[in-house]
Amino acid sequence: MIAKLAAAALALGGGLACASAAMAGDPAAASTGSSAEVASPPAMTAPVSSPAPAPLADPEGWRFQAATYGWLMSVSGSTTSHGQTVDTNASFIDLMQKSDSLIGFMAYLEADKGPVGVYADFVFTKMGFTTSQAAYRNPVAGLKLSATANAALTMQMFIMEVGGVYELARWNGSSGNATTLEAVGGFRYWNVNLTGTFDALITADTTRFNLSRSAGFALADSGTTQWVDPLVGLRLRHQLAPNQMITVRGDIGGFNLANSLSWQAIAVYSYDWQFTGYQIAALLGFRALGVNYNTGSGATAFGLNEVFYGPVIGATVRF
């Protein structure tokens, strides 16, 4: 009996030794034919990071527009250069038919973000008036507006307007149309040259008004006169349909701060064609711009007291 217990103890001890050797990686123990297997620990892997979220699109991104247009300008009022005042009254058709000095360029730029925007408007024109479109007020003895020169009066003018807009109110209609009211503020820069050409007799006293003589003509050349008008106004835009808009604007400027008072009124209808990423629109409207600026006296007197008005035709790109 004792012998049997001893044999069992020896067998149990051998089995435990083989298991221990196998766990230690002993090849000799592996050859004993034991069926015990030990699982290898899992390999360590780097944690998988989640992708960064895509940046959100700006819900109020920049909106841009650039336009070129023609302002078919008629003129009514008076000009003064070297104290010589000439009344003007000419339609665009008269100027185009009879003038040898009619040129012009106009452009408009605007950038908006949310309720705020900035804009710039450029007008350059050179107009020549004949004696049928101009009348000499209070003539000097021996001088009369020239009927033989290319123009009795030449007006060259560059106007640059720079400012900002701010949305005051917006009303959305039930059928997709909308109306927006905006405040406008900025500056209007004027750069004007006036030249009156007179047939001059030898006896005409041109020195009193510092007029220059050339080949039988007396010239009242103002040189470049420039000034800046601050301005404030309102703009109303009404979306008739997704591709149709009416814009009405009015402003007043100068406020006689620099001997100048100016005003402007514009109404424009636009029709858009949508393309990928941009729009092209045709423009048709009417614009009137009035100015009353006077400086100096006698031979140095300069004045521009005119209303410029007429249809506007153009095209704009929005993106």
Side-chain angles (χ1 to χ4, degrees), residues 118-160:
V118 293
Y119 73 92
D121 182 70
F122 306 90
V123 173
F124 174 79
T125 184
K126 183 178 181 181
M127 296 174 286
F129 300 82
T130 65
T131 52
S132 63
Q133 302 152 355
Y136 188 12
R137 188 192 301 178
N138 303 320
V140 173
L143 294 181
K144 65 176 182 178
L145 282 175
S146 177
T148 57
N150 289 338
L153 173 68
T154 301
M155 180 189 303
Q156 180 173 297
M157 184 169 58
F158 173 67
I159 308 169
M160 180 176 67

Short mmCIF file of all heavy atoms in Angstrom, two decimals, residues 118-160:
data_model
loop_
_atom_site.label_atom_id
_atom_site.label_comp_id
_atom_site.label_asym_id
_atom_site.label_seq_id
_atom_site.Cartn_x
_atom_site.Cartn_y
_atom_site.Cartn_z
N VAL A 118 -18.23 97.21 -49.06
CA VAL A 118 -17.47 98.37 -49.53
C VAL A 118 -17.62 98.45 -51.04
O VAL A 118 -17.82 97.43 -51.72
CB VAL A 118 -15.98 98.29 -49.14
CG1 VAL A 118 -15.81 98.39 -47.63
CG2 VAL A 118 -15.35 97.00 -49.64
N TYR A 119 -17.51 99.66 -51.60
CA TYR A 119 -17.70 99.83 -53.03
C TYR A 119 -16.83 100.96 -53.55
O TYR A 119 -16.35 101.81 -52.80
CB TYR A 119 -19.17 100.11 -53.36
CG TYR A 119 -19.62 101.51 -52.98
CD1 TYR A 119 -19.55 102.56 -53.88
CD2 TYR A 119 -20.09 101.78 -51.69
CE1 TYR A 119 -19.93 103.85 -53.53
CE2 TYR A 119 -20.48 103.06 -51.33
CZ TYR A 119 -20.40 104.09 -52.26
OH TYR A 119 -20.77 105.36 -51.90
N ALA A 120 -16.65 100.97 -54.87
CA ALA A 120 -15.95 102.05 -55.56
C ALA A 120 -16.61 102.23 -56.93
O ALA A 120 -16.94 101.25 -57.60
CB ALA A 120 -14.46 101.74 -55.72
N ASP A 121 -16.80 103.49 -57.30
CA ASP A 121 -17.42 103.81 -58.58
C ASP A 121 -16.53 104.83 -59.29
O ASP A 121 -16.03 105.77 -58.67
CB ASP A 121 -18.82 104.39 -58.35
CG ASP A 121 -19.52 104.70 -59.67
OD1 ASP A 121 -19.88 103.75 -60.38
OD2 ASP A 121 -19.70 105.89 -59.99
N PHE A 122 -16.33 104.63 -60.61
CA PHE A 122 -15.42 105.47 -61.39
C PHE A 122 -16.15 106.00 -62.63
O PHE A 122 -16.80 105.23 -63.35
CB PHE A 122 -14.18 104.70 -61.84
CG PHE A 122 -13.44 104.02 -60.72
CD1 PHE A 122 -13.75 102.72 -60.35
CD2 PHE A 122 -12.43 104.69 -60.03
CE1 PHE A 122 -13.07 102.10 -59.32
CE2 PHE A 122 -11.75 104.08 -59.00
CZ PHE A 122 -12.06 102.78 -58.65
N VAL A 123 -16.03 107.29 -62.86
CA VAL A 123 -16.60 107.92 -64.06
C VAL A 123 -15.54 108.84 -64.65
O VAL A 123 -15.01 109.72 -63.96
CB VAL A 123 -17.87 108.74 -63.72
CG1 VAL A 123 -18.32 109.53 -64.95
CG2 VAL A 123 -18.98 107.84 -63.24
N PHE A 124 -15.23 108.62 -65.92
CA PHE A 124 -14.36 109.54 -66.66
C PHE A 124 -15.08 109.93 -67.94
O PHE A 124 -15.59 109.08 -68.68
CB PHE A 124 -13.02 108.91 -67.00
CG PHE A 124 -12.18 109.80 -67.89
CD1 PHE A 124 -11.47 110.86 -67.35
CD2 PHE A 124 -12.14 109.60 -69.26
CE1 PHE A 124 -10.72 111.71 -68.15
CE2 PHE A 124 -11.39 110.44 -70.08
CZ PHE A 124 -10.68 111.49 -69.52
N THR A 125 -15.13 111.22 -68.21
CA THR A 125 -15.78 111.68 -69.44
C THR A 125 -15.11 112.96 -69.92
O THR A 125 -14.59 113.75 -69.13
CB THR A 125 -17.29 111.92 -69.22
OG1 THR A 125 -17.91 112.28 -70.45
CG2 THR A 125 -17.53 113.01 -68.20
N LYS A 126 -15.14 113.14 -71.21
CA LYS A 126 -14.68 114.37 -71.84
C LYS A 126 -15.73 114.75 -72.88
O LYS A 126 -16.01 113.98 -73.79
CB LYS A 126 -13.32 114.19 -72.50
CG LYS A 126 -12.76 115.46 -73.10
CD LYS A 126 -11.37 115.25 -73.69
CE LYS A 126 -10.80 116.53 -74.28
NZ LYS A 126 -9.46 116.31 -74.88
N MET A 127 -16.30 115.95 -72.72
CA MET A 127 -17.40 116.38 -73.57
C MET A 127 -17.07 117.73 -74.19
O MET A 127 -16.49 118.61 -73.52
CB MET A 127 -18.69 116.51 -72.75
CG MET A 127 -19.17 115.19 -72.17
SD MET A 127 -20.60 115.41 -71.06
CE MET A 127 -19.79 116.13 -69.63
N GLY A 128 -17.44 117.88 -75.44
CA GLY A 128 -17.27 119.15 -76.13
C GLY A 128 -18.61 119.75 -76.49
O GLY A 128 -19.50 119.05 -77.01
N PHE A 129 -18.81 121.04 -76.22
CA PHE A 129 -20.06 121.73 -76.48
C PHE A 129 -19.83 122.76 -77.59
O PHE A 129 -18.88 123.55 -77.54
CB PHE A 129 -20.56 122.45 -75.23
CG PHE A 129 -20.81 121.55 -74.06
CD1 PHE A 129 -19.77 121.14 -73.24
CD2 PHE A 129 -22.09 121.10 -73.77
CE1 PHE A 129 -19.99 120.31 -72.15
CE2 PHE A 129 -22.33 120.27 -72.69
CZ PHE A 129 -21.28 119.88 -71.88
N THR A 130 -20.73 122.75 -78.56
CA THR A 130 -20.67 123.74 -79.63
C THR A 130 -21.50 124.96 -79.23
O THR A 130 -22.14 124.99 -78.18
CB THR A 130 -21.21 123.15 -80.94
OG1 THR A 130 -22.61 122.85 -80.77
CG2 THR A 130 -20.47 121.86 -81.30
N THR A 131 -21.50 125.98 -80.08
CA THR A 131 -22.25 127.19 -79.79
C THR A 131 -23.76 126.95 -79.77
O THR A 131 -24.51 127.76 -79.22
CB THR A 131 -21.93 128.28 -80.82
OG1 THR A 131 -22.10 127.76 -82.14
CG2 THR A 131 -20.49 128.75 -80.65
N SER A 132 -24.23 125.85 -80.38
CA SER A 132 -25.66 125.54 -80.32
C SER A 132 -26.04 124.88 -78.99
O SER A 132 -27.23 124.76 -78.68
CB SER A 132 -26.04 124.61 -81.48
OG SER A 132 -25.37 123.37 -81.38
N GLN A 133 -25.05 124.47 -78.21
CA GLN A 133 -25.31 123.81 -76.92
C GLN A 133 -24.82 124.64 -75.75
O GLN A 133 -24.97 124.23 -74.59
CB GLN A 133 -24.61 122.44 -76.90
CG GLN A 133 -25.05 121.52 -78.02
CD GLN A 133 -23.96 120.53 -78.40
OE1 GLN A 133 -22.85 120.57 -77.89
NE2 GLN A 133 -24.28 119.63 -79.31
N ALA A 134 -24.20 125.78 -76.02
CA ALA A 134 -23.63 126.62 -74.97
C ALA A 134 -23.88 128.09 -75.27
O ALA A 134 -23.91 128.49 -76.44
CB ALA A 134 -22.13 126.35 -74.83
N ALA A 135 -24.05 128.87 -74.23
CA ALA A 135 -24.30 130.31 -74.38
C ALA A 135 -23.40 131.08 -73.42
O ALA A 135 -23.28 130.72 -72.25
CB ALA A 135 -25.76 130.63 -74.11
N TYR A 136 -22.77 132.13 -73.93
CA TYR A 136 -21.82 132.95 -73.16
C TYR A 136 -22.61 133.96 -72.33
O TYR A 136 -23.30 134.83 -72.88
CB TYR A 136 -20.88 133.63 -74.13
CG TYR A 136 -19.70 134.36 -73.53
CD1 TYR A 136 -19.33 134.22 -72.19
CD2 TYR A 136 -18.95 135.22 -74.33
CE1 TYR A 136 -18.26 134.89 -71.67
CE2 TYR A 136 -17.86 135.90 -73.83
CZ TYR A 136 -17.52 135.74 -72.48
OH TYR A 136 -16.44 136.41 -71.97
N ARG A 137 -22.51 133.87 -71.02
CA ARG A 137 -23.21 134.79 -70.14
C ARG A 137 -22.30 135.99 -69.81
O ARG A 137 -21.13 135.81 -69.50
CB ARG A 137 -23.60 134.07 -68.85
CG ARG A 137 -24.51 134.88 -67.93
CD ARG A 137 -24.62 134.25 -66.55
NE ARG A 137 -25.14 132.90 -66.58
CZ ARG A 137 -25.29 132.14 -65.47
NH1 ARG A 137 -24.93 132.64 -64.28
NH2 ARG A 137 -25.76 130.92 -65.57
N ASN A 138 -22.86 137.20 -69.88
CA ASN A 138 -22.12 138.43 -69.57
C ASN A 138 -20.80 138.51 -70.34
O ASN A 138 -19.71 138.54 -69.75
CB ASN A 138 -21.85 138.53 -68.06
CG ASN A 138 -23.11 138.48 -67.24
OD1 ASN A 138 -24.13 139.08 -67.62
ND2 ASN A 138 -23.06 137.79 -66.12
N PRO A 139 -20.86 138.51 -71.67
CA PRO A 139 -19.63 138.47 -72.46
C PRO A 139 -18.77 139.71 -72.29
O PRO A 139 -19.26 140.82 -72.05
CB PRO A 139 -20.13 138.34 -73.90
CG PRO A 139 -21.51 138.90 -73.86
CD PRO A 139 -22.06 138.57 -72.51
N VAL A 140 -17.48 139.51 -72.44
CA VAL A 140 -16.51 140.61 -72.45
C VAL A 140 -16.49 141.18 -73.87
O VAL A 140 -16.59 140.45 -74.85
CB VAL A 140 -15.12 140.09 -72.03
CG1 VAL A 140 -14.07 141.18 -72.20
CG2 VAL A 140 -15.15 139.59 -70.60
N ALA A 141 -16.35 142.48 -73.98
CA ALA A 141 -16.32 143.13 -75.30
C ALA A 141 -15.20 142.56 -76.14
O ALA A 141 -14.06 142.43 -75.70
CB ALA A 141 -16.13 144.64 -75.13
N GLY A 142 -15.55 142.20 -77.36
CA GLY A 142 -14.56 141.66 -78.29
C GLY A 142 -14.38 140.16 -78.20
O GLY A 142 -13.60 139.58 -78.96
N LEU A 143 -15.15 139.47 -77.29
CA LEU A 143 -15.07 138.00 -77.16
C LEU A 143 -16.43 137.39 -77.46
O LEU A 143 -17.47 137.95 -77.10
CB LEU A 143 -14.65 137.58 -75.74
CG LEU A 143 -13.25 137.93 -75.26
CD1 LEU A 143 -13.06 137.39 -73.85
CD2 LEU A 143 -12.19 137.36 -76.19
N LYS A 144 -16.43 136.29 -78.14
CA LYS A 144 -17.64 135.48 -78.30
C LYS A 144 -17.23 134.02 -78.40
O LYS A 144 -16.11 133.70 -78.81
CB LYS A 144 -18.41 135.91 -79.55
CG LYS A 144 -17.69 135.66 -80.86
CD LYS A 144 -18.58 136.03 -82.04
CE LYS A 144 -17.87 135.74 -83.37
NZ LYS A 144 -18.72 136.05 -84.52
N LEU A 145 -18.15 133.14 -77.98
CA LEU A 145 -17.84 131.72 -78.06
C LEU A 145 -17.51 131.35 -79.50
O LEU A 145 -18.19 131.77 -80.44
CB LEU A 145 -19.02 130.88 -77.57
CG LEU A 145 -19.21 130.77 -76.06
CD1 LEU A 145 -20.49 130.01 -75.74
CD2 LEU A 145 -18.01 130.08 -75.41
N SER A 146 -16.48 130.54 -79.65
CA SER A 146 -15.99 130.23 -80.98
C SER A 146 -16.90 129.23 -81.70
O SER A 146 -17.26 128.18 -81.14
CB SER A 146 -14.58 129.66 -80.90
OG SER A 146 -14.13 129.29 -82.19
N ALA A 147 -17.26 129.60 -82.93
CA ALA A 147 -18.02 128.68 -83.77
C ALA A 147 -17.12 127.94 -84.74
O ALA A 147 -17.57 127.05 -85.48
CB ALA A 147 -19.07 129.46 -84.56
N THR A 148 -15.83 128.27 -84.76
CA THR A 148 -14.90 127.64 -85.70
C THR A 148 -13.99 126.61 -85.04
O THR A 148 -13.45 125.74 -85.71
CB THR A 148 -14.02 128.71 -86.36
OG1 THR A 148 -13.33 129.46 -85.34
CG2 THR A 148 -14.88 129.68 -87.17
N ALA A 149 -13.81 126.70 -83.72
CA ALA A 149 -12.99 125.72 -83.02
C ALA A 149 -13.74 124.39 -82.91
O ALA A 149 -14.96 124.32 -83.15
CB ALA A 149 -12.62 126.22 -81.62
N ASN A 150 -13.02 123.31 -82.58
CA ASN A 150 -13.67 122.01 -82.42
C ASN A 150 -14.77 122.04 -81.37
O ASN A 150 -15.78 121.36 -81.48
CB ASN A 150 -12.64 120.95 -82.04
CG ASN A 150 -11.72 120.60 -83.18
OD1 ASN A 150 -12.07 120.80 -84.36
ND2 ASN A 150 -10.54 120.09 -82.87
N ALA A 151 -14.57 122.84 -80.30
CA ALA A 151 -15.58 122.97 -79.25
C ALA A 151 -15.47 124.35 -78.64
O ALA A 151 -14.37 124.86 -78.39
CB ALA A 151 -15.38 121.89 -78.19
N ALA A 152 -16.64 124.96 -78.40
CA ALA A 152 -16.65 126.25 -77.71
C ALA A 152 -16.33 126.07 -76.23
O ALA A 152 -15.74 126.94 -75.60
CB ALA A 152 -18.00 126.92 -77.89
N LEU A 153 -16.73 124.94 -75.68
CA LEU A 153 -16.44 124.60 -74.29
C LEU A 153 -16.09 123.12 -74.22
O LEU A 153 -16.82 122.28 -74.76
CB LEU A 153 -17.64 124.89 -73.40
CG LEU A 153 -17.53 124.41 -71.95
CD1 LEU A 153 -16.48 125.21 -71.19
CD2 LEU A 153 -18.89 124.50 -71.24
N THR A 154 -14.98 122.81 -73.57
CA THR A 154 -14.60 121.41 -73.34
C THR A 154 -14.58 121.16 -71.84
O THR A 154 -13.98 121.92 -71.08
CB THR A 154 -13.20 121.12 -73.93
OG1 THR A 154 -13.23 121.38 -75.33
CG2 THR A 154 -12.84 119.67 -73.70
N MET A 155 -15.26 120.09 -71.44
CA MET A 155 -15.33 119.70 -70.04
C MET A 155 -14.74 118.30 -69.89
O MET A 155 -15.25 117.34 -70.48
CB MET A 155 -16.79 119.71 -69.55
CG MET A 155 -16.96 119.30 -68.09
SD MET A 155 -18.71 119.07 -67.66
CE MET A 155 -19.40 120.68 -68.09
N GLN A 156 -13.67 118.20 -69.14
CA GLN A 156 -13.07 116.89 -68.83
C GLN A 156 -13.25 116.64 -67.34
O GLN A 156 -12.90 117.49 -66.51
CB GLN A 156 -11.59 116.85 -69.19
CG GLN A 156 -10.92 115.52 -68.90
CD GLN A 156 -9.51 115.45 -69.43
OE1 GLN A 156 -9.27 115.53 -70.63
NE2 GLN A 156 -8.55 115.31 -68.52
N MET A 157 -13.76 115.47 -67.00
CA MET A 157 -14.17 115.24 -65.61
C MET A 157 -13.88 113.80 -65.20
O MET A 157 -14.21 112.86 -65.92
CB MET A 157 -15.67 115.54 -65.50
CG MET A 157 -16.26 115.46 -64.13
SD MET A 157 -17.94 116.16 -64.13
CE MET A 157 -18.74 115.13 -65.38
N PHE A 158 -13.25 113.65 -64.05
CA PHE A 158 -13.04 112.33 -63.43
C PHE A 158 -13.68 112.36 -62.04
O PHE A 158 -13.38 113.24 -61.23
CB PHE A 158 -11.56 112.00 -63.32
CG PHE A 158 -11.28 110.73 -62.54
CD1 PHE A 158 -11.67 109.49 -63.04
CD2 PHE A 158 -10.64 110.78 -61.31
CE1 PHE A 158 -11.42 108.33 -62.33
CE2 PHE A 158 -10.38 109.63 -60.60
CZ PHE A 158 -10.77 108.40 -61.11
N ILE A 159 -14.58 111.42 -61.79
CA ILE A 159 -15.27 111.32 -60.50
C ILE A 159 -15.01 109.93 -59.93
O ILE A 159 -15.27 108.92 -60.61
CB ILE A 159 -16.78 111.55 -60.65
CG1 ILE A 159 -17.07 112.85 -61.40
CG2 ILE A 159 -17.47 111.56 -59.28
CD1 ILE A 159 -18.52 113.00 -61.81
N MET A 160 -14.51 109.88 -58.72
CA MET A 160 -14.30 108.60 -58.04
C MET A 160 -15.07 108.62 -56.72
O MET A 160 -14.89 109.53 -55.91
CB MET A 160 -12.82 108.33 -57.78
CG MET A 160 -12.57 107.00 -57.07
SD MET A 160 -10.81 106.63 -56.86
CE MET A 160 -10.33 107.93 -55.71
#
